[in-house]
Amino acid sequence: MTKKLIGLVAFAATGSGLLFTVGLNEMGPLNTIFLMAVGYFFTLSIVDHYKDLKEGE
């Protein structure tokens, strides 16, 4: 359980960091909309994986 949670946190930190750095460098309106959509689905996937981890305890 602990290894899976550490992996989930590392995945979340890596993905968030990548989205943040791309957001800083690309400021076009189309890119912003695309990044918001990717960030939304990324957040949904992180929450879903976390719920699966909590149920597996």
Side-chain angles (χ1 to χ4, degrees):
M1 168 65 183
T2 304
K3 287 183 182 180
K4 290 183 179 181
L5 188 59
I6 290 172
L8 180 65
V9 170
F11 176 70
T14 302
S16 300
L18 287 172
L19 286 172
F20 182 72
T21 56
V22 170
L24 286 177
N25 293 331
E26 301 292 330
M27 297 302 294
L30 184 60
N31 289 336
T32 302
I33 292 170
F34 178 71
L35 281 176
M36 288 174 63
V38 170
Y40 174 75
F41 289 117
F42 177 75
T43 304
L44 286 180
S45 69
I46 294 293
V47 169
D48 188 45
H49 284 297
Y50 181 72
K51 286 180 182 177
D52 289 343
L53 280 176
K54 291 304 269 185
E55 289 176 0
E57 285 184 353

